[in-house]
Amino acid sequence: MGMYCELRQITLDYAGKLLADPDQVLHYVDKADSGRLPKEAQGEDLNLDKAWHGLHYLLTGTDWGGPEPTCYLLAGGAQVGDEEEHDVYGYGPARILMPAQVAAFRTVVDALTVAEIQRRYNGPAMTKLKIYPEIWDREAETSENLEFLEEAASELRAFLGCATRQQQAIILYLA
């Protein structure tokens, strides 16, 4: 199965509701898994599968850090609750990006073109940094890895574009 990054468009009101009452985030995750989300959380969703960490590296050049808005897949935005009580799937709390942050992140991801992905991709460095799923230095699979990241970047661009046009917030977490 492995780790993946889940993103979903939510209304600004629902984002405020989750931030004001972080205990609701665990109910949100349960409902997302079962397909029974409240109306204000029924926006587009995106599962980046195992490409999330590779995309983060391509955007930031780091394993877990980087400046905002490049780091928004793994850091930044508003954390929903605290590390202990609101941990989602054992990988930390969910985070919410507000519409202005979504738009800023979209600008960064829009610049991650196929040519940029190919330029920034460094399999040995990614493996040394333990970029999940640690497959990046397999030379025989470089073209497949690049295609995997290019497709995920394209999906993320489309997702962020839709959220920006609709002025939606985004909830994201690792699962």
Side-chain angles (χ1 to χ4, degrees), residues 13-128:
D13 287 344
Y14 192 62
K17 195 181 294 186
L18 289 174
L19 291 169
D21 184 5
D23 290 342
Q24 293 301 312
V25 77
L26 301 177
H27 299 292
Y28 162 83
V29 171
D30 287 340
K31 290 177 181 176
D33 286 345
S34 67
R36 298 183 329 247
L37 286 168
K39 185 177 181 180
E40 61 252 320
Q42 292 181 0
E44 296 291 320
D45 69 322
L46 175 64
N47 180 334
L48 288 174
D49 193 31
K50 296 176 184 176
W52 58 272
H53 208 187
L55 288 175
H56 175 80
Y57 172 84
L58 294 173
L59 290 164
T60 67
T62 71
D63 53 355
W64 293 95
E68 291 186 13
T70 63
C71 67
Y72 281 161
L73 274 180
L74 299 183
Q79 180 175 297
V80 182
D82 65 49
E83 296 283 332
E84 289 181 26
E85 292 183 38
H86 305 102
D87 189 327
V88 178
Y89 295 111
Y91 302 115
R95 292 176 298 106
I96 292 177
L97 300 179
M98 294 302 183
Q101 293 168 311
V102 173
F105 190 40
R106 176 190 179 192
T107 300
V108 169
V109 173
D110 281 351
L112 193 60
T113 62
V114 170
E116 272 302 298
I117 291 171
Q118 292 172 352
R119 187 182 72 74
R120 296 177 189 189
Y121 182 88
N122 182 331
M126 293 168 76
T127 298
K128 184 176 181 181

